[in-house]
Structure formats: structure tokens, C-alpha cells
Amino acid sequence: MGVHGLTTYLRENKRTLAKTLKVAATDEQSAIPIVVDAWSLIYALHQRCALPWIYGGEYQEFSKLVTDVVSAWIKVGFKVSFVFDGPYPEIKFPTLLSRASKSIIDPSLLFFRTSAASRTSPHFLKETRIIPPAYFAATLHALDSLRESTSSLEYHFADEECDPYAVELAARLNGYVVGTDSDFVILNADGYLGYIPLDEMVWTALVPDDEPEPVDDDGFQQVTNGKGRSRAVKATSTFGRGIIPPENLTDLTMSCSVFNPTALADHLGLPVTLLPLLASLAGNDFTNQEVTSRVNHHALFFERGLSPVQRIDRVSSTIQSILAPTARRRAKHQVGSVMDLIDRTVNALMAKILHTIGPGQIELITDKIAEGALQYAIPRYEGEHEGEKSLWPTRICALHEPEICPALPSFSRLLEAVADEDDDDEGSDELIMRIQIRTRYLDAYRRGHFPPLLMNCLTSGTYFTRLFIENPDLETVARLARPIRQWCYAILDEALGLPEPIEEEDASLIPSHDGSDEDELVDVIDSDSDDSEMDVDDRDLLAPLKGALKSLRNPDEHSAHLHAPPLPSRTRVITEYLRRGTRLADEAVEVPRISELLPLISDSHYDFTQSTMPLVVQPEEVRLTVMLRALDSDVSGIRDLSPQQVTAVLVLRWILKTTHDRAEESNNSKAREAERWTAREARCFIASFAWSGEALPSEVNAPIVDRHIQLAAQVLHGLEAVTHLSQALLLYPVVDSPVHMFSGRAFHSYLTGACACPDIPEHIWSVCQRGMERAFAGERKQKKTKKQKSQPVASGGKQTAGGLFGMLADTGI
């Protein structure tokens, strides 16, 4: 993530660029604000902890790990603010799709194409590590729980990308940003103190020597080495080192390396305002796209032998030569505008091959570089307050006034349509209701009760299914929950309005995400300078481009589709991205009208078609009943369960119903029949939650069975889909996610018999099976073969075979 090669560049020039920040639990000083990129921490803990991922995730233990790390940060004097990513910007879709394929689909394919014995080795599982899909929910639960006991913790959901929001927040608080993204040393704002890489945060602890026992010294004085009185030792933990604090030790001290954008700019000999241009030219998440189906435009800038670090030096020296040319070049042509600077830099980097490239292609590359630089623009804060008092000017956004908040238009589509119709009646009931709906959804989003994945539906009309390991030869489990997602889309369309589908004649105006046309760009208007010379030290060279960025974030009449009232004659469509075979593909899903869905679940007792009010403003009991009936689970006893138990039961019942219906619709084909669950498998799932805080199996390495991997993928995706439906209906906390109680290892252990499945609460099981008796498949007999496919996960150092081949197996080859 971030700028290609910049992390390595910072590491190699650490002595010149970095300053050291040390904090200790014993220091008496005011709290130091840090803003943490939440997903950077999640990925870092995932890579450093020893929790098994193959079973689907150990969310109870991961939540504890997050709590331990954040508590330790607070203990040494940090005031912590987390920032989660908001909806994905469309310019980043190609990077997201490529990243998902490489980090999830490819490792899954490798896993299922590897022998059962080899794929269970510690080395293989480490190299093919996939992040469990519910870490986001587990982290959010851990932060919510910890926030109840401290005032030094907050979290925010960004309007769009996390990076600019985090730096802007850190600048307001006069603090640092903590993460693993080198973009944090490119972004800059007044008051921002710098970027702390998670890899550069090191824990130490002072461990006093044991008091020596008194001995008879016959009158001689015993001499001790002064250095032995206390010593600093490296952090040791069952989970790892670095950001994870040492266990059972006191007097903790943390040292951090801080990289400041100004220091980097001085080292490169560039104005700090040109760092975004450097990042765009060197390559970042926004410009890592191909000019053609086979050529990436960065390959045209640099010789093949240049390393990413050398490319950064090459870009900086090229920009320097243009900004500070020789006397002869100055007289010939001076830099007159930002676009002129970008155009000349692109031409200089491609000077050796310029004759082989057409002028239209050069212009395309230049525009893409400009657009990539725009993503780093941060609006200047002009308010009167400082620190925490500068936050939350309104309840809409912590940083921005409503006029410039990027998230607000997506929540205001129907509100603005009503306002346009009622120009003469500003206090109409319809307008007041739409304001109320927008406020409720915005509050839910800012508090973490309306997820960014659903926000994508509002901003770009897309939904990215969260992927995990599953059998590539079978249909993706995401299709099981598509009817649930369609309910979500219909509810959001009625409440807030979804983006209108793009007409075929307008399709060329946006980037294509299937690889066929990834180079269509938003035009950037050139603004020439009136000065004869550029004062590069005092002037923001990207200021003209920030005006273009503002127009992109707040489209005018030329992009009226974001604000125009919906047309009843046009069908809404959501583009879903899900696995199709061994690739990530997009599928257009038609959004049904809520008026078409409600009659399907209405009866004489509940006729949901009678009310003309949007569903989300109807009473909570009505919304809960709609959800239960949409999932075919409005059965007696379900309302008596806890919010977390309701979700788990709904997930299980939906999977049982869907797999049973699919088997019957296919005339009981062998493949569809194999999808159905047995009653024992259902009991194992319910038993895999720590309902009363009890400890689940943690020391058992259960065998890995293909079917059990598929079952785990089904329930994890089901948990997310059902939770999203409750969040679309604003049903928190009546229905809540139970993932922080779930253990994939326990699920697999119970399924394989490695541990006996405990008794589950009868009141939960009775609701699970009520009306589902025919949905269960018959119990399957365990088939024994010469070499059974299910192999236990090998622990390090244990020999798995004899002879020379056993020695090779131990090495993980």
C-alpha cells in the first residue's frame, strides 16, 4: 500500500529522515495524540499473531489482542483515535480487485491444489495466510468495549479513503498518524507532526535483577556490576514482538520512529507541496493501472533495472531539473502551471522512448498522473478553534462543514429531490422526514452501526463481498446471501435513494473495472500562472488541482446524477463483485422495489403494505418483524433470545432453508444435496460461540477437511449478510453481531470430533430447528481411505513422515 518503494526508501534513509519518540508509563506528561489507521493495525496484528486463520478466525482471542495493544498505548500516554476506511473511491477499484485476487483467491486456489499433508505444514499456512473476514467486526467490538472504561479512545469512519482523513484529523489534534501506508509521509497539513510506521514501534521493559541472597564473605566486600542492576530486555510474547506489548511486565517503554513530510521533501530537494506529484509519478494505488492491456505506464518511465528506491530518486531529480533548470533552459521555457510541470516531467521521464508513443497516449498518461496527485489534497482548516474543540462543527462530520463533507451527498439524494420539489414549503412533512432519515443513517455510520460496505451502494452503486478461503471448484458462498443483500438494496433505495444506472451512451465517462478500459479519466483543467517565475518555496504548486478535486467531490450540474430525483421508470442496479471460478468478477444485480417485497411477507396479522411511510421510520417492532419474515424466521421464541443469539440463529436457519430449497429445485442433484447441513453440523455451529464467556477449545489443532472449510465460509458470509440487513433497517442493538464470540477452531474441532461437541442451550436449539425439520440432511458416514484427506494442522518441529522425505517435510519445502 502507498507509494511504490517509499517504505524501503524510508527504512534505508532512517538515520537522516527519522526522529525518535519515546514514551513510558511512568512519564507525567499530557497525553500525546495519535491517529491510527485501523486496517493497518488489523493487518499488522494478523501477520504477527500466532492465531490460526485456516479455520475461519479466532475472534474472541483477536478482540483480546486488540484490547491489549490499545490499552498498552493508553497506558504509556497516548490518546488514541482510530480511523476506518469509508466507501471505496472508484479510481481505486482496479487496485482493490487486483489486491483481492492476489491475497485471497490465488492463495485459496493454491491451498486446494496442494496435497493434504503439505498444506497443513506451518510454513505453507504462513505463506498462504488469508485474513479472516470478520476481523473488522471483532475490532470494532473490542474498541467499543474498551471505550466504556477510558476517555483516551475514540474512533472515526472516514468520508472516503482513510489516509487523507487520518492526516487531517492528526493535524487538528497536533498529533501523529500510526499505520503501515507510506502515503502518510506524502500527505501533509498544518499541525501534522508526522508518520509512525507500526513496524517502528518497539516495546521494551525494565526487569530488575533478583536480589542476591546474603552470603558469608569473611569480611570481604562483594562487588557487583552496575550494569547488572537493571537491564532492558526484548519483548517476548506468545503472539510476537513489536507492536504487541510484552506480557506480565511493568514499567513499559515504547520507542517510535517518526517520519515528517517536510524532512522527506528537504531530503529530496523538493517543495513539500510537490510530494503528491512525486508519489503519483513513482506509482501509488491510484496510478497503478495499465495504459494498455499489457503495458503499465510506470514501465514507460523507468529502465527495467531500476529498483523502486532508485525510481524515487529518478523522479525527484527529474522534477528538480525542471524547477531549477540551467540558464539556457530558463530562457527557452519556464514552468507556467502545474499541468505544465506534470507534462514536462512525464515527457522527461519518457524521453528515450518518446518517439514510439502517440501524442494521445502521452496526454492520457499526463491526466492520470494529475488525477493520482489530486487524491492527496486536504482542504485547509480555517476555523477558530484548535485541538478537540475544532472537531464536530456539526453532527454530520467530525472535520468538515456540511458544504464540503464528501459523504453528505450520498445520504442526501432523496432529500435534495424533495427540497427541489418543495421550494416554497421548507417545512413540509416530507422534507422533515427525509432530514430525519438522513440524520439517523449518518449517526449510525459515524458510530460504526452502518458499515462502509453498504456505503459503497450509496456512493458508487457497488457491493464488494468479503472474500475468504473456499473451494474454487464450487459456486461461491456469496450467492447464498444474494436475496438478503437485495433486501438491503431495496431498503436503502427507499430510504436514501441509490445512484441511477448509467446509460449506455454515458458508460464511456467512467473507468471500466473489468480490465477492458481502465484508462478513462476525469478531466483536469489547466490553470496558467500569471507570474513570470514560480516561487516553489512559498507557493502550493498543487493549488490549482485542489480546485479540480473540489469539483470532483462536489459535482455540479454536469454530474447531476448524484443529486437528481430518482426516475420511477428506471430500474436501480447494484454491481456486485464476487468470486467466479478463479477470478473476481462483477455482476449487475437488479434492485427490487420495497413495494414489491413487502407483499411477499404480509398476512392478515401484519400487512406491511398499508403504511405509506418509509420502512426505516416505522416502529422498531415492525422493522424487526420485516427482517424476521424476510429471512423466513418469524417463529416463536426468537424474540426472547439475546441480540447476538438472534443473529446466529437467523444465519443458521437461512443456510438450512437456502441449501434445502436449492436441492429441491435441482431435483435433488448430488451436488446440491451435498450442500445441505446435518443436524449435528448445525449443533456444532451454535456450540462454537462463547455465549456465556466460557473458554472454547484453543489448544487443539483440528484436521482440515474441505467440507468444513466450505461450511465455515458459508456461516462467515451469512453472519455478515444478516448483520448488514439489520444495519440497513437500523435495528442495532436489537439485532447485533456475535462474531466476537465465534471460534473457527472450535467449529472445526467439533465437526471433526477432535473435541466433543458440548451441549448447547435448549432454548436456542429449539428456535433453530422450529419448522426446519425437513431441511436437515441425513447424517453422513465417515469414509476411510488409505490416506484420508483430512490432516491435522502440523505444529512446528514435529515430524510428519519417516525417512528422508520426513526430513524434507519438517523444513516446510
Side-chain angles (χ1 to χ4, degrees):
M1 296 185 293
V3 183
H4 300 173
L6 186 54
T7 298
T8 304
Y9 190 93
L10 297 177
R11 188 182 303 116
E12 292 181 356
N13 295 276
K14 177 179 175 180
R15 181 171 298 181
T16 304
L17 296 176
K19 294 184 179 180
T20 301
L21 172 68
K22 290 186 177 182
V23 290
T26 57
D27 291 347
E28 294 183 2
Q29 59 182 7
S30 59
I32 301 174
I34 60 172
V35 178
V36 182
D37 178 358
W39 274 106
S40 288
L41 178 65
I42 292 173
Y43 276 101
L45 293 179
H46 168 62
Q47 293 292 335
R48 288 163 177 75
C49 71
L51 299 176
W53 63 269
I54 188 63
Y55 300 124
E58 304 306 305
Y59 300 105
Q60 192 178 26
E61 296 180 56
F62 188 82
S63 295
K64 181 181 181 302
L65 185 58
V66 172
T67 301
D68 291 343
V69 171
V70 179
S71 298
W73 283 348
I74 295 173
K75 187 176 181 180
V76 296
F78 286 131
K79 186 175 179 61
V80 186
S81 298
F82 277 82
V83 176
F84 290 88
D85 279 310
Y88 302 136
E90 290 192 58
I91 189 177
K92 201 173 179 179
F93 281 9
T95 299
L96 294 170
L97 299 177
S98 174
R99 189 176 293 164
S101 295
K102 293 178 181 178
S103 63
I104 301 176
I105 294 180
D106 291 349
S108 297
L109 179 63
L110 179 61
F111 180 88
F112 280 94
R113 297 295 184 263
T114 304
S115 67
S118 299
R119 70 185 187 184
T120 58
S121 68
H123 176 75
F124 182 90
L125 292 175
K126 181 179 179 180
E127 293 299 316
T128 58
R129 182 185 291 264
I130 300 174
I131 188 167
Y135 272 175
F136 166 76
T139 301
L140 202 57
H141 176 267
L143 297 181
D144 271 330
S145 300
L146 186 58
R147 195 166 55 165
E148 294 176 357
S149 59
T150 179
S151 60
S152 297
L153 174 63
E154 293 292 338
Y155 61 74
H156 300 256
F157 281 81
D159 302 317
E160 297 174 315
E161 276 274 289
C162 161
D163 301 359
Y165 191 99
V167 171
E168 188 174 359
L169 178 61
R172 297 280 189 92
L173 299 175
N174 292 308
Y176 306 87
V177 169
V178 176
T180 57
D181 194 330
S182 56
D183 281 335
F184 291 126
V185 79
I186 299 295
L187 292 154
N188 196 21
D190 294 338
Y192 176 46
L193 298 184
Y195 162 52
I196 301 176
L198 281 168
D199 292 338
E200 299 291 340
M201 301 179 77
V202 180
W203 289 102
T204 58
L206 296 177
V207 182
D209 283 341
D210 295 334
E211 290 293 332
E213 296 182 0
V215 295
D216 185 6
D217 54 8
D218 294 330
F220 290 95
Q221 181 178 359
Q222 186 175 0
V223 179
T224 60
N225 187 350
K227 295 182 180 180
R229 295 174 184 172
S230 63
R231 64 181 183 274
V233 297
K234 294 182 179 179
T236 58
S237 171
T238 56
F239 291 110
R241 53 177 297 183
I243 59 173
I244 301 175
E247 294 181 343
N248 304 321
L249 293 175
T250 57
D251 298 329
L252 292 177
T253 302
M254 170 174 278
S255 61
C256 315
S257 297
V258 181
F259 296 90
N260 189 277
T262 303
L264 175 62
D266 292 342
H267 180 76
L268 295 172
L270 297 175
V272 70
T273 54
L274 285 185
L275 288 181
L277 177 58
L278 171 84
S280 187
L281 289 165
N284 56 19
D285 291 345
F286 308 104
T287 60
N288 187 27
Q289 302 171 28
E290 297 178 345
V291 174
T292 67
S293 59
R294 293 176 295 176
V295 180
N296 184 290
H297 69 258
H298 289 99
L300 305 176
F301 290 166
F302 311 109
E303 294 82 358
R304 182 172 298 180
L306 287 182
S307 67
V309 172
Q310 292 172 324
R311 292 182 176 188
I312 292 176
D313 287 328
R314 170 74 187 281
V315 171
S316 63
S317 61
T318 301
I319 296 176
Q320 286 180 44
S321 66
I322 296 172
L323 293 178
T326 62
R328 187 177 67 176
R329 287 188 178 182
R330 183 186 300 273
K332 184 178 180 181
H333 181 59
Q334 297 177 1
V335 177
S337 68
V338 180
M339 288 304 299
D340 185 22
L341 173 62
I342 297 175
D343 182 67
R344 292 182 61 183
T345 306
V346 169
N347 279 270
L349 290 172
M350 297 192 302
K352 294 182 179 180
I353 60 171
L354 204 58
H355 63 283
T356 65
I357 301 176
Q361 198 173 37
I362 296 175
E363 183 179 354
L364 189 69
I365 294 173
T366 301
D367 289 346
K368 187 173 289 292
I369 294 300
E371 190 177 11
L374 279 174
Q375 308 307 314
Y376 294 96
I378 296 177
R380 183 183 298 274
Y381 174 63
E382 298 179 352
E384 300 177 356
H385 302 288
E386 296 181 356
E388 293 185 355
K389 292 183 179 180
S390 68
L391 303 182
W392 297 107
T394 66
R395 64 186 297 181
I396 289 175
C397 182
L399 298 178
H400 310 117
E401 296 289 346
E403 297 78 20
I404 62 172
C405 178
L408 190 59
S410 299
F411 290 94
S412 307
R413 196 169 282 111
L414 292 186
L415 171 60
E416 294 190 2
V418 173
D420 291 341
E421 295 175 358
D422 300 339
D423 289 336
D424 299 331
D425 187 8
E426 296 183 358
S428 68
D429 293 340
E430 176 74 10
L431 185 61
I432 294 173
M433 181 189 68
R434 291 297 169 185
I435 294 175
Q436 178 188 8
I437 292 175
R438 184 182 72 173
T439 302
R440 293 183 65 186
Y441 274 103
L442 267 170
D443 286 347
Y445 175 65
R446 299 301 185 187
R447 295 175 183 176
H449 301 149
F450 186 76
L453 286 182
L454 286 183
M455 271 290 290
N456 288 321
C457 300
L458 300 175
T459 56
S460 59
T462 58
Y463 185 92
F464 288 77
T465 58
R466 212 179 290 278
L467 304 173
F468 190 57
I469 185 170
E470 56 177 332
N471 194 331
D473 299 324
L474 300 178
E475 184 182 34
T476 178
V477 298
R479 295 192 190 278
L480 292 175
R482 175 167 286 173
I484 303 178
R485 295 195 296 273
Q486 286 180 299
W487 269 96
C488 293
Y489 306 152
I491 293 166
L492 294 179
D493 191 34
E494 182 198 38
L496 300 170
L498 296 176
E500 291 188 31
I502 298 175
E503 297 288 353
E504 291 183 5
E505 60 268 20
D506 298 332
S508 61
L509 298 179
I510 65 168
S512 172
H513 309 304
D514 58 2
S516 59
D517 183 12
E518 297 180 355
D519 301 297
E520 195 65 30
L521 296 171
V522 178
D523 291 335
V524 179
I525 299 175
D526 191 355
S527 176
D528 292 337
S529 172
D530 295 332
D531 301 330
S532 58
E533 280 191 46
M534 230 181 210
D535 188 354
V536 295
D537 295 324
D538 300 328
R539 185 175 171 191
D540 186 352
L541 298 179
L542 291 182
L545 293 184
K546 293 179 181 179
L549 177 64
K550 183 177 180 181
S551 67
L552 291 176
R553 287 182 170 176
N554 299 280
D556 55 13
E557 63 273 11
H558 298 293
S559 353
H561 67 278
L562 287 180
H563 307 293
L567 299 179
S569 60
R570 300 179 67 178
T571 302
R572 297 294 185 270
V573 173
I574 293 292
T575 301
E576 292 186 346
Y577 291 91
L578 69 169
R579 181 184 64 83
R580 187 188 298 163
T582 58
R583 66 186 182 91
L584 195 61
D586 58 304
E587 294 185 4
V589 178
E590 185 173 324
V591 179
R593 294 180 181 275
I594 196 70
S595 58
E596 299 170 354
L597 295 176
L598 291 178
L600 302 178
I601 59 173
S602 296
D603 56 22
S604 58
H605 183 63
Y606 265 113
D607 187 358
F608 302 104
T609 62
Q610 294 297 318
S611 177
T612 59
M613 302 290 288
L615 188 56
V616 293
V617 296
Q618 295 186 36
E620 184 179 89
E621 176 61 25
V622 174
R623 286 178 280 133
L624 177 60
T625 303
V626 167
M627 179 176 181
L628 296 179
R629 294 196 173 192
L631 300 177
D632 201 15
S633 295
D634 190 11
V635 296
S636 62
I638 194 166
R639 287 174 170 80
D640 299 328
L641 302 177
S642 70
Q644 293 80 14
Q645 291 170 349
V646 168
T647 302
V649 170
L650 289 176
V651 169
L652 178 58
R653 289 178 60 88
W654 178 260
I655 294 175
L656 292 174
K657 173 186 178 297
T658 305
T659 54
H660 171 68
D661 292 346
R662 283 159 52 119
E664 286 196 337
E665 291 170 1
S666 65
N667 295 323
N668 296 320
S669 71
K670 187 175 181 180
R672 291 302 189 200
E673 192 66 28
E675 290 181 345
R676 298 175 60 195
W677 283 45
T678 66
R680 178 180 175 276
E681 290 169 339
R683 284 182 170 272
C684 291
F685 169 64
I686 297 299
S688 301
F689 293 88
W691 297 119
S692 303
E694 67 274 12
L696 297 172
S698 59
E699 302 298 330
V700 178
N701 290 323
I704 300 176
V705 182
D706 289 359
R707 173 174 174 79
H708 300 165
I709 291 177
Q710 204 68 11
L711 297 182
Q714 289 179 8
V715 300
L716 289 169
H717 190 79
L719 284 167
E720 182 175 72
V722 171
T723 302
H724 282 181
L725 179 57
S726 70
Q727 291 168 329
L729 285 166
L730 301 178
L731 279 173
Y732 177 86
V734 178
V735 181
D736 196 11
S737 173
V739 293
H740 60 279
M741 305 177 181
F742 180 70
S743 168
R745 175 163 45 194
F747 186 38
H748 281 254
S749 298
Y750 300 151
L751 288 172
T752 58
C755 288
C757 181
D759 294 333
I760 60 177
E762 185 58 33
H763 69 285
I764 300 179
W765 179 245
S766 63
V767 178
C768 290
Q769 64 176 350
R770 187 161 291 134
M772 290 287 171
E773 291 78 6
R774 294 182 62 251
F776 291 108
E779 294 296 333
R780 293 175 173 85
K781 296 182 179 179
Q782 296 289 337
K783 295 182 179 180
K784 294 183 179 181
T785 59
K786 292 182 180 179
K787 289 187 178 180
Q788 203 165 1
K789 287 187 177 181
S790 60
Q791 295 286 338
V793 178
S795 40
K798 291 188 178 180
Q799 189 169 339
T800 58
L804 294 175
F805 291 103
M807 296 174 62
L808 290 175
D810 285 342
T811 64
I813 298 177

